[in-house]
PDB file of all heavy atoms in Angstrom:
ATOM      1  N   ALA A1266     -10.654  96.854  57.066  1.00 98.00           N
ATOM      2  CA  ALA A1266      -9.207  97.045  56.895  1.00 98.00           C
ATOM      3  C   ALA A1266      -8.467  95.731  57.137  1.00 98.00           C
ATOM      4  O   ALA A1266      -7.526  95.379  56.402  1.00 98.00           O
ATOM      5  CB  ALA A1266      -8.700  98.125  57.835  1.00 98.00           C
ATOM      6  N   ALA A1267      -8.885  94.991  58.171  1.00 98.00           N
ATOM      7  CA  ALA A1267      -8.247  93.705  58.457  1.00 98.00           C
ATOM      8  C   ALA A1267      -8.471  92.707  57.326  1.00 98.00           C
ATOM      9  O   ALA A1267      -7.553  91.970  56.934  1.00 98.00           O
ATOM     10  CB  ALA A1267      -8.777  93.136  59.775  1.00 98.00           C
ATOM     11  N   LEU A1268      -9.690  92.663  56.779  1.00 98.00           N
ATOM     12  CA  LEU A1268      -9.968  91.747  55.676  1.00 98.00           C
ATOM     13  C   LEU A1268      -9.217  92.163  54.415  1.00 98.00           C
ATOM     14  O   LEU A1268      -8.689  91.321  53.683  1.00 98.00           O
ATOM     15  CB  LEU A1268     -11.475  91.713  55.406  1.00 98.00           C
ATOM     16  CG  LEU A1268     -12.346  91.134  56.527  1.00 98.00           C
ATOM     17  CD1 LEU A1268     -13.818  91.240  56.156  1.00 98.00           C
ATOM     18  CD2 LEU A1268     -11.979  89.677  56.828  1.00 98.00           C
ATOM     19  N   LYS A1269      -9.160  93.464  54.162  1.00 98.00           N
ATOM     20  CA  LYS A1269      -8.468  93.957  52.972  1.00 98.00           C
ATOM     21  C   LYS A1269      -6.999  93.534  52.970  1.00 98.00           C
ATOM     22  O   LYS A1269      -6.440  93.145  51.935  1.00 98.00           O
ATOM     23  CB  LYS A1269      -8.577  95.479  52.901  1.00 98.00           C
ATOM     24  CG  LYS A1269      -7.859  96.132  51.737  1.00 98.00           C
ATOM     25  CD  LYS A1269      -8.108  97.630  51.739  1.00 98.00           C
ATOM     26  CE  LYS A1269      -7.433  98.315  50.557  1.00 98.00           C
ATOM     27  NZ  LYS A1269      -5.953  98.259  50.663  1.00 98.00           N
ATOM     28  N   ASP A1270      -6.363  93.597  54.152  1.00 98.00           N
ATOM     29  CA  ASP A1270      -4.935  93.296  54.252  1.00 98.00           C
ATOM     30  C   ASP A1270      -4.651  91.871  54.717  1.00 98.00           C
ATOM     31  O   ASP A1270      -3.490  91.515  54.925  1.00 98.00           O
ATOM     32  CB  ASP A1270      -4.273  94.280  55.227  1.00 98.00           C
ATOM     33  CG  ASP A1270      -4.345  95.718  54.742  1.00 98.00           C
ATOM     34  OD1 ASP A1270      -4.390  95.923  53.519  1.00 98.00           O
ATOM     35  OD2 ASP A1270      -4.373  96.627  55.591  1.00 98.00           O
ATOM     36  N   ALA A1271      -5.701  91.068  54.913  1.00 98.00           N
ATOM     37  CA  ALA A1271      -5.549  89.725  55.497  1.00 98.00           C
ATOM     38  C   ALA A1271      -4.793  89.800  56.818  1.00 98.00           C
ATOM     39  O   ALA A1271      -3.994  88.926  57.163  1.00 98.00           O
ATOM     40  CB  ALA A1271      -4.845  88.779  54.525  1.00 98.00           C
ATOM     41  N   ASP A1272      -5.056  90.864  57.576  1.00 97.00           N
ATOM     42  CA  ASP A1272      -4.414  91.095  58.869  1.00 97.00           C
ATOM     43  C   ASP A1272      -5.281  90.481  59.957  1.00 97.00           C
ATOM     44  O   ASP A1272      -6.008  91.168  60.673  1.00 97.00           O
ATOM     45  CB  ASP A1272      -4.243  92.601  59.092  1.00 97.00           C
ATOM     46  CG  ASP A1272      -3.644  92.934  60.441  1.00 97.00           C
ATOM     47  OD1 ASP A1272      -3.126  92.015  61.111  1.00 97.00           O
ATOM     48  OD2 ASP A1272      -3.715  94.112  60.860  1.00 97.00           O
ATOM     49  N   PHE A1273      -5.213  89.164  60.083  1.00 97.00           N
ATOM     50  CA  PHE A1273      -6.095  88.464  60.998  1.00 97.00           C
ATOM     51  C   PHE A1273      -5.742  88.718  62.462  1.00 97.00           C
ATOM     52  O   PHE A1273      -6.588  88.527  63.346  1.00 97.00           O
ATOM     53  CB  PHE A1273      -6.091  86.974  60.690  1.00 97.00           C
ATOM     54  CG  PHE A1273      -6.535  86.649  59.281  1.00 97.00           C
ATOM     55  CD1 PHE A1273      -5.961  85.610  58.571  1.00 97.00           C
ATOM     56  CD2 PHE A1273      -7.534  87.399  58.669  1.00 97.00           C
ATOM     57  CE1 PHE A1273      -6.366  85.307  57.285  1.00 97.00           C
ATOM     58  CE2 PHE A1273      -7.954  87.103  57.378  1.00 97.00           C
ATOM     59  CZ  PHE A1273      -7.363  86.059  56.681  1.00 97.00           C
ATOM     60  N   LEU A1274      -4.521  89.164  62.740  1.00 95.00           N
ATOM     61  CA  LEU A1274      -4.169  89.517  64.115  1.00 95.00           C
ATOM     62  C   LEU A1274      -5.049  90.661  64.615  1.00 95.00           C
ATOM     63  O   LEU A1274      -5.413  90.708  65.795  1.00 95.00           O
ATOM     64  CB  LEU A1274      -2.692  89.901  64.200  1.00 95.00           C
ATOM     65  CG  LEU A1274      -2.150  90.198  65.598  1.00 95.00           C
ATOM     66  CD1 LEU A1274      -2.301  88.986  66.507  1.00 95.00           C
ATOM     67  CD2 LEU A1274      -0.685  90.638  65.519  1.00 95.00           C
ATOM     68  N   SER A1275      -5.402  91.572  63.723  1.00 95.00           N
ATOM     69  CA  SER A1275      -6.261  92.690  64.117  1.00 95.00           C
ATOM     70  C   SER A1275      -7.649  92.217  64.536  1.00 95.00           C
ATOM     71  O   SER A1275      -8.300  92.847  65.376  1.00 95.00           O
ATOM     72  CB  SER A1275      -6.385  93.700  62.969  1.00 95.00           C
ATOM     73  OG  SER A1275      -5.148  94.343  62.729  1.00 95.00           O
ATOM     74  N   LEU A1276      -8.121  91.115  63.946  1.00 94.00           N
ATOM     75  CA  LEU A1276      -9.422  90.588  64.350  1.00 94.00           C
ATOM     76  C   LEU A1276      -9.390  90.114  65.801  1.00 94.00           C
ATOM     77  O   LEU A1276     -10.357  90.278  66.542  1.00 94.00           O
ATOM     78  CB  LEU A1276      -9.832  89.435  63.433  1.00 94.00           C
ATOM     79  CG  LEU A1276     -10.037  89.773  61.955  1.00 94.00           C
ATOM     80  CD1 LEU A1276     -10.419  88.524  61.173  1.00 94.00           C
ATOM     81  CD2 LEU A1276     -11.093  90.858  61.762  1.00 94.00           C
ATOM     82  N   PHE A1277      -8.270  89.504  66.209  1.00 87.00           N
ATOM     83  CA  PHE A1277      -8.115  89.090  67.598  1.00 87.00           C
ATOM     84  C   PHE A1277      -8.154  90.287  68.546  1.00 87.00           C
ATOM     85  O   PHE A1277      -8.644  90.186  69.669  1.00 87.00           O
ATOM     86  CB  PHE A1277      -6.761  88.397  67.795  1.00 87.00           C
ATOM     87  CG  PHE A1277      -6.757  86.936  67.469  1.00 87.00           C
ATOM     88  CD1 PHE A1277      -6.003  86.459  66.421  1.00 87.00           C
ATOM     89  CD2 PHE A1277      -7.473  86.037  68.230  1.00 87.00           C
ATOM     90  CE1 PHE A1277      -5.967  85.110  66.128  1.00 87.00           C
ATOM     91  CE2 PHE A1277      -7.454  84.683  67.942  1.00 87.00           C
ATOM     92  CZ  PHE A1277      -6.700  84.218  66.896  1.00 87.00           C
ATOM     93  N   SER A1278      -7.599  91.390  68.102  1.00 87.00           N
ATOM     94  CA  SER A1278      -7.364  92.524  68.992  1.00 87.00           C
ATOM     95  C   SER A1278      -8.573  93.424  69.161  1.00 87.00           C
ATOM     96  O   SER A1278      -8.532  94.364  69.957  1.00 87.00           O
ATOM     97  CB  SER A1278      -6.182  93.355  68.453  1.00 87.00           C
ATOM     98  OG  SER A1278      -5.032  92.546  68.305  1.00 87.00           O
ATOM     99  N   LEU A1279      -9.654  93.172  68.423  1.00 91.00           N
ATOM    100  CA  LEU A1279     -10.837  94.012  68.554  1.00 91.00           C
ATOM    101  C   LEU A1279     -11.474  93.811  69.925  1.00 91.00           C
ATOM    102  O   LEU A1279     -11.757  92.671  70.315  1.00 91.00           O
ATOM    103  CB  LEU A1279     -11.859  93.666  67.468  1.00 91.00           C
ATOM    104  CG  LEU A1279     -11.545  94.143  66.056  1.00 91.00           C
ATOM    105  CD1 LEU A1279     -12.547  93.558  65.074  1.00 91.00           C
ATOM    106  CD2 LEU A1279     -11.580  95.655  65.985  1.00 91.00           C
ATOM    107  N   PRO A1280     -11.715  94.879  70.676  1.00 87.00           N
ATOM    108  CA  PRO A1280     -12.352  94.723  71.986  1.00 87.00           C
ATOM    109  C   PRO A1280     -13.747  94.126  71.843  1.00 87.00           C
ATOM    110  O   PRO A1280     -14.507  94.511  70.944  1.00 87.00           O
ATOM    111  CB  PRO A1280     -12.414  96.165  72.527  1.00 87.00           C
ATOM    112  CG  PRO A1280     -11.415  96.939  71.729  1.00 87.00           C
ATOM    113  CD  PRO A1280     -11.375  96.288  70.377  1.00 87.00           C
ATOM    114  N   GLN A1281     -14.089  93.213  72.738  1.00 84.00           N
ATOM    115  CA  GLN A1281     -15.417  92.617  72.700  1.00 84.00           C
ATOM    116  C   GLN A1281     -16.493  93.675  72.898  1.00 84.00           C
ATOM    117  O   GLN A1281     -17.586  93.590  72.321  1.00 84.00           O
ATOM    118  CB  GLN A1281     -15.539  91.538  73.769  1.00 84.00           C
ATOM    119  CG  GLN A1281     -16.840  90.746  73.719  1.00 84.00           C
ATOM    120  CD  GLN A1281     -17.021  90.000  72.412  1.00 84.00           C
ATOM    121  OE1 GLN A1281     -16.086  89.356  71.936  1.00 84.00           O
ATOM    122  NE2 GLN A1281     -18.214  90.081  71.827  1.00 84.00           N
ATOM    123  N   SER A1282     -16.170  94.694  73.694  1.00 82.00           N
ATOM    124  CA  SER A1282     -17.159  95.756  73.926  1.00 82.00           C
ATOM    125  C   SER A1282     -17.478  96.504  72.643  1.00 82.00           C
ATOM    126  O   SER A1282     -18.619  96.927  72.427  1.00 82.00           O
ATOM    127  CB  SER A1282     -16.634  96.728  74.986  1.00 82.00           C
ATOM    128  OG  SER A1282     -15.398  97.310  74.595  1.00 82.00           O
ATOM    129  N   LEU A1283     -16.485  96.671  71.763  1.00 90.00           N
ATOM    130  CA  LEU A1283     -16.726  97.337  70.482  1.00 90.00           C
ATOM    131  C   LEU A1283     -17.629  96.487  69.605  1.00 90.00           C
ATOM    132  O   LEU A1283     -18.585  96.995  68.991  1.00 90.00           O
ATOM    133  CB  LEU A1283     -15.398  97.612  69.774  1.00 90.00           C
ATOM    134  CG  LEU A1283     -15.491  98.205  68.358  1.00 90.00           C
ATOM    135  CD1 LEU A1283     -16.143  99.576  68.398  1.00 90.00           C
ATOM    136  CD2 LEU A1283     -14.113  98.268  67.702  1.00 90.00           C
ATOM    137  N   ALA A1284     -17.347  95.194  69.527  1.00 92.00           N
ATOM    138  CA  ALA A1284     -18.171  94.295  68.715  1.00 92.00           C
ATOM    139  C   ALA A1284     -19.600  94.249  69.229  1.00 92.00           C
ATOM    140  O   ALA A1284     -20.556  94.285  68.452  1.00 92.00           O
ATOM    141  CB  ALA A1284     -17.555  92.898  68.696  1.00 92.00           C
ATOM    142  N   ASP A1285     -19.751  94.185  70.548  1.00 89.00           N
ATOM    143  CA  ASP A1285     -21.094  94.124  71.123  1.00 89.00           C
ATOM    144  C   ASP A1285     -21.874  95.402  70.828  1.00 89.00           C
ATOM    145  O   ASP A1285     -23.051  95.348  70.443  1.00 89.00           O
ATOM    146  CB  ASP A1285     -21.013  93.906  72.633  1.00 89.00           C
ATOM    147  CG  ASP A1285     -20.498  92.521  73.006  1.00 89.00           C
ATOM    148  OD1 ASP A1285     -20.519  91.630  72.135  1.00 89.00           O
ATOM    149  OD2 ASP A1285     -20.071  92.339  74.160  1.00 89.00           O
TER     150      ASP A1285
END
Side-chain angles (χ1 to χ4, degrees):
L1268 295 177
K1269 178 177 182 293
D1270 297 332
D1272 177 13
F1273 301 144
L1274 184 60
S1275 293
L1276 297 179
F1277 275 115
S1278 304
L1279 286 172
Q1281 186 61 46
S1282 59
L1283 175 63
D1285 291 342

